[in-house]
Amino acid sequence: MPVVSVGAGGMGRAWLEVLEASPDAELVGLVDLDLDAARRAAADLGRPDLPLGRDAVELARATGARAVVDVTVPAAHHPVTTAALAAGLPVLGEKPAAATLAQALSLVAAAEVTGELFMVSQSRRWNPQVSLLRDAVALLGGAGTLTTEFFRAPRFGGFREEMEHPLLVDMAIHAFDTARHVLGDEPAAVWCTTSNPPWSWYRGDASAAAVVITGGGARYSYTGSWCAPGEETSWNGRWTASCAHGSVRWDGDDEPVVAVAEDAPAEVRAGVDALLAGPRSPFDGIAGALAVFCAALRTGGSPSGEVHENAMSLAVVEAAVASAGSGQVVDLDELLEGARAEAVAAERDERVRERLRAWPGVRAALAAPAPA
Ligand SMILES: NC(=O)c1ccc[n+]([C@@H]2O[C@H](COP(=O)([O-])OP(=O)(O)OC[C@H]3O[C@@H](n4cnc5c(N)ncnc54)[C@H](O)[C@@H]3O)[C@@H](O)[C@H]2O)c1
């Protein structure tokens, strides 16, 4: 699959390495508004002659690329992806789907109207330990309570230290997306409170506690801080799932630890034993996302991370931010419909605007498989 990659920043460089090593994709061009940044990244990759450009669609036409990998800043995700889909190019984009939920819904509708695949690379989904956690939770009868603790003290400098909600918006989306994946259930309501400890080096709130109530009645709680010196958790956080027939703990780095209840049915214990003895998921990180994206283009299937399915993770982030502001529990359906109204008002493409309007409900539209 010949692809152009867009964005030659920190994460863009990581994608270039993965694209170069991939047996499924061929890197045929690199795009950045900053051509010097693109030139430096191509040279550092050992591809000084790689075709460069400032526009993904133009460079794709010139190089024969048939797909786009979008690793630009979140504010550019909507324009870059919209243009690519309209030009008949499927897109694999970095998280978040877009800078706002309204823009993400516009991209969902654009994917429907164009019939092109837009998959969001939410890299933790492709962690084999997350797959094990999810499978173990299912075997134990599903989780009633799932928790994530995230405590780290990075000093990034730059935009994160100026954001209003750096932890929720830039980091917690990974945990929220993983929680949806592990629970296999969608959020119905979110409550959140945020704070900025007196010793924080962030302008915005670097600590947060959020509770997500799912449609099936499970409770997911997230507590975290980005200014937490001392004993730090892994970058994935520390997870505990409490299930009908046992529990699963995951430190975010090593294999999850499954504890089957003593009185669990024999078939549950046998299932867990088989899972632990069995093979691990072959997909990992962004290389896994790329392999799944290319396979979906070959087979026409709808992969995990496809934008219909992914948008709800951004909805949880926006719900958490709204709840932190109001002090109220935020109903996800109300939030989704408000974002649709915002998307309709801002939409410039008539076909996309009509599609947004035609959805009977946003939740139902997101749950429906993307039309081929
Ligand atoms: N999955 C992860 O673990 C992970 C980690 C870091 C970053 N990310 C995500 O990756 C994305 C990029 O992050 P980063 O840290 O590399 O940012 P960055 O600021 O280092 O780089 C972004 C690049 O995009 C370019 N750009 C901006 N608008 C553009 C446009 N319209 N067209 C072409 N190029 C444009 C910029 O010039 C810059 O070179 C973000 O969405 C971020 O959330 C994901």
Side-chain angles (χ1 to χ4, degrees):
M1 176 63 57
V3 303
V4 292
S5 197
V6 195
M11 198 62 190
R13 284 169 169 260
W15 272 98
L16 292 177
E17 300 279 349
V18 163
L19 286 164
E20 268 302 77
S22 167
D24 304 308
E26 184 197 356
L27 178 67
V28 298
L30 175 59
V31 173
D32 201 296
L33 294 179
D34 179 350
L35 277 178
D36 284 337
R39 214 165 277 128
R40 285 193 301 275
D44 291 348
L45 188 67
R47 298 273 309 268
D49 299 327
L50 187 66
L52 306 178
R54 299 181 82 241
D55 182 277
V57 172
E58 272 176 28
L59 192 63
R61 289 213 173 104
T63 56
R66 297 212 314 274
V68 168
V69 173
D70 180 6
V71 204
T72 56
V73 292
H77 290 182
H78 182 265
V80 168
T81 301
T82 299
L85 296 177
L89 296 161
V91 177
L92 174 59
E94 253 302 338
K95 65 84 192 165
T100 65
L101 178 59
Q103 289 182 358
L105 295 184
S106 159
L107 294 175
V108 172
E112 290 184 6
V113 162
T114 60
E116 296 299 339
L117 173 63
F118 173 33
M119 172 177 159
V120 180
S121 170
Q122 200 81 58
S123 52
R124 273 65 172 179
R125 282 237 170 169
W126 308 109
N127 180 325
Q129 294 168 2
V130 169
S131 302
L132 192 70
L133 171 62
R134 175 186 155 103
D135 292 348
V137 163
L139 285 168
L140 293 174
T145 306
L146 180 69
T147 67
T148 309
E149 298 163 277
F150 177 87
F151 294 102
R152 296 199 65 94
R155 289 182 182 265
F156 298 108
F159 72 95
R160 291 183 182 86
E161 292 188 8
E162 300 304 318
M163 292 167 74
E164 200 179 343
H165 286 289
L167 181 75
L168 283 179
V169 172
D170 195 59
M171 190 66 214
I173 190 166
H174 285 301
F176 295 165
D177 184 74
T178 301
R180 289 178 53 223
H181 188 54
V182 168
L183 289 169
D185 192 9
E186 290 298 8
V190 175
W191 176 82
C192 180
T193 180
T194 62
S195 62
N196 204 24
W199 62 87
S200 174
W201 50 93
Y202 295 81
R203 190 187 65 77
D205 283 0
S207 301
V211 178
V212 178
I213 301 169
T214 72
R219 300 296 190 263
Y220 168 63
S221 64
Y222 173 90
T223 180
S225 178
W226 240 350
C227 56
E231 189 190 345
E232 298 187 23
T233 62
S234 71
W235 274 100
N236 290 317
R238 197 164 39 223
W239 293 70
T240 305
S242 172
C243 310
H245 300 300
S247 64
V248 190
R249 278 186 183 276
W250 182 44
D251 67 8
D253 274 338
D254 306 308
E255 287 257 308
V257 177
V258 184
V260 182
E262 276 180 18
D263 59 355
E267 61 269 23
V268 170
R269 189 171 294 281
V272 169
D273 287 347
L275 174 71
L276 296 178
R280 297 297 174 256
S281 162
F283 304 116
D284 199 1
I286 61 176
L290 179 62
V292 169
F293 176 71
C294 292
L297 291 180
R298 280 195 303 270
T299 61
S302 184
S304 172
E306 193 278 331
V307 66
H308 287 71
E309 190 265 343
N310 181 266
M312 193 65 90
S313 296
L314 187 54
V316 178
V317 172
E318 288 206 1
V321 169
S323 174
S326 68
Q328 306 294 310
V329 173
V330 171
D331 179 274
L332 257 295
D333 286 323
E334 281 175 26
L335 184 94
L336 290 167
E337 293 303 334
R340 174 192 5 207
E342 204 184 306
V344 167
E347 189 58 57
R348 283 192 243 150
D349 183 319
E350 202 173 317
R351 287 192 313 156
V352 174
R353 189 168 50 242
E354 282 316 306
R355 179 59 71 124
L356 282 163
R357 280 210 183 103
W359 288 342
V362 179
R363 188 181 285 274
L366 297 183

